[in-house]
Structures are given as C-alpha cells and as structure tokens.
Amino acid sequence: MKRYSVRSMITFWVLALSGLVLIVAAMLHMQGEEPCHNCYESDKGQFKYVLYDGTSPSIIPSIHNELLLKQAPLMKSFGLDSIPVITVRVWRNQKAYLDEQERSIGYRYAFSTGYIDPKSNEIRLLYFGGEIHKTALHEFVHLLTLQVNPNFANNPRWLWEAIAIYKSEDYWFHVNNRTAISRRFDGLVQDLYHKPNSSSAVYELGYTVGEFIERSWGEAAFVDLIKSNGDPSQFTDQPIESLFSDWEKFVKTTYLSGPKSEYEKAMERNPFDRRDTAN
C-alpha cells in the first residue's frame, strides 16, 4: 500500500475543502443568493430580510407586519394557494442600491425606491425615511401577479402598475385635493391613452383604473386580465377606445364632480385673503 506524507495529506484536504467552498458558492449563485458582507440578516419564514449600509433592523417590523397582514387576502384575490419564500433587501446608500439594480435587471432608474428581481423572487428597496412598508407592499403585489402569469411584468405596463397600485393602497391619494387633479386630469388621461406603456401618468391614475376594473367586472377579472396580458374581450365586446372613455367618465363622476368638501374649500382659500366679519 502506498503511503502519503503528512504534507501531501494536508495539501489534499486543503484542495478538497477549497473545491467544496467553490461548489457551495456556485450553488448559492445559481439560486440567486449573494453572500452577506457587512449586512444584517433576519429570517422570518415566508419573508427573509437583508439590510445593507447600516440600515437599522428597526424598520423590519413595519415591513413585515404589512406584508403578513395583506398576504392572505392578496393571495386569495389572485387565486394562489402558496408562494415561494421572498427575500426583502434594503439599502440606505442610493448608489449601492442603483448599482445592484443595474447589475441584476440591466437598468438604472434614478428615482426609483423599489423594484423586484423575479429570477430570485426578491424585493429590493431604498430606505430614505419614508413609508417603506407601502413600497414593499406594492412590490409584493408585483411578485404575486408573476405567480399568476410569469410573463406579466410590464406586459402591458399600464395594467402591471395599475393592479399593484390598486391592491396596495386603500384609496386614491388625489381624493383630498380634487381641484389640483381636476386641472391636470385631461392632460394625464391623454398622456396615458397615447403612451400606455411609457407614461408616468399611470402612477397618478392607476388606482382608479384598478377600481374601474373591479366595479365593472368584479375582483376575479384581475386574474383573467393578468393571464391574458390585459385582453378585455373575455368580458366585453367594447373596443379599447370605448372602455377608455368609460373609465374616464367613471373617474369624473366618482371623484371630480359634486360639491366641494370643507377641506377642499380651506385648501383653496388664499391665506392672505382674510375677511374679518367682526369689523
């Protein structure tokens, strides 16, 4: 029997362990998991959190509680029985956040505060002190819609964003200042109509698009529209132009007509126009 020297045995084990490390690293890379250097990790079962740039772990409860609260009703509305584990990554450094965004999805959106990486089933967030839990919920809805149809991302964009906005928000944020949105509404409508897959107007009008869909055809229509990438022919024979006109009328009737509230009157009042009725 051939005998090996101690030095040869040590060399063999070092090479073997090095090879094992490389194999494990390759497997993690294939699974979309990056090693965590100078970061904080918290595994909470369905959701795993990774924080960078010294982001305080104190932000985790607000995100986690929001996702847990909405998870079951959202999954039910999309007809989902189960979903894979989701990793939520949070940065405070904008450059690091954008560098990772460009590396993972090939684009760099300078004003974004959240996006998803479908390949690794991750939510990526930039924390700057705002309501980060709302951004997380918006991105969570995006991931859920991809469980319904893996080819739904931005296809079409107006519906992709409208559903995420409607399902992650409780009301249309313009409702308390109708005067301001009324002045801009027609222009936003035209921009969305002519550029449905590139207009930023969807971020301002998306909630009302989702609301119009649900009121017209019921909540189940979201799943059908996601699966068909926005084809409404299964619900109606109306051409898209007619549906667009109906939605516009719906918004005007629901939100932009009727008497002004006291809040709206107060917002419109000139602060320098003081009428002292006592004199």
Side-chain angles (χ1 to χ4, degrees), residues 16-267:
L17 288 172
S18 299
L20 181 61
V21 169
L22 289 174
I23 291 172
V24 171
M27 291 177 65
L28 289 174
H29 181 73
M30 290 174 64
Q31 296 173 359
E33 297 183 16
E34 297 293 333
C36 184
H37 299 301
N38 299 320
C39 61
Y40 174 88
E41 292 183 289
S42 177
D43 191 337
K44 294 185 176 293
Q46 178 63 70
F47 301 98
K48 176 183 176 182
Y49 298 88
V50 184
L51 312 182
Y52 300 91
D53 313 317
T55 303
S56 172
S58 64
I59 70 166
I60 292 178
S62 68
I63 300 173
H64 189 64
N65 292 339
E66 182 78 358
L67 296 180
L68 281 184
L69 179 66
K70 301 296 176 60
Q71 179 185 350
L74 284 172
M75 288 178 60
K76 181 180 179 181
S77 72
F78 290 128
L80 300 172
D81 296 322
S82 62
I83 56 174
V85 172
I86 293 172
T87 298
V88 181
R89 299 183 187 272
V90 186
W91 286 261
R92 290 182 63 186
N93 182 293
Q94 186 183 39
K95 182 181 184 302
Y97 163 82
L98 292 175
D99 286 347
E100 175 59 24
Q101 184 181 75
E102 186 173 21
R103 186 199 68 78
S104 59
I105 64 174
Y107 297 95
R108 193 181 187 91
Y109 298 103
F111 299 104
S112 74
T113 55
Y115 69 101
I116 60 170
D117 184 353
K119 298 188 298 294
S120 56
N121 207 47
E122 293 187 354
I123 295 171
R124 312 282 183 80
L125 304 171
L126 175 64
Y127 179 61
F128 57 92
E131 296 179 311
I132 192 172
H133 60 287
K134 292 186 177 181
T135 305
L137 183 60
H138 178 100
E139 302 304 333
F140 179 49
V141 175
H142 278 322
L143 284 179
L144 293 180
T145 59
L146 290 178
Q147 293 295 311
V148 178
N149 177 2
N151 298 313
F152 184 59
N154 288 308
N155 184 26
R157 181 173 175 272
W158 66 267
L159 184 62
W160 163 258
E161 290 296 347
I163 291 177
I165 292 168
Y166 181 65
K167 289 292 189 178
S168 65
E169 298 181 8
D170 298 320
Y171 60 90
W172 190 31
F173 68 94
H174 279 306
V175 70
N176 290 325
N177 193 7
R178 292 183 300 173
T179 301
I181 189 61
S182 293
R183 297 191 188 106
R184 301 171 52 239
F185 182 71
D186 290 339
L188 289 170
V189 167
Q190 288 303 308
D191 194 53
L192 184 60
Y193 180 77
H194 292 292
K195 298 183 294 182
N197 290 316
S198 61
S199 172
S200 61
V202 68
Y203 293 108
E204 297 198 64
L205 303 176
Y207 183 91
T208 65
V209 173
E211 186 178 21
F212 174 74
I213 290 171
E214 183 167 346
R215 290 201 187 187
S216 299
W217 304 306
E219 188 176 46
F222 290 116
V223 173
D224 294 325
L225 287 170
I226 291 170
K227 289 181 176 179
S228 66
N229 294 99
D231 181 7
S233 63
Q234 55 202 307
F235 311 115
T236 178
D237 294 329
Q238 287 180 267
I240 192 68
E241 294 82 5
S242 177
L243 286 172
F244 196 90
S245 178
D246 286 350
W247 160 74
E248 184 179 357
K249 292 174 184 176
F250 163 77
V251 177
K252 288 182 176 179
T253 301
T254 306
Y255 291 106
L256 306 183
S257 63
K260 297 177 182 178
S261 66
E262 292 303 316
Y263 174 83
E264 290 174 307
K265 293 177 182 177
M267 290 295 292

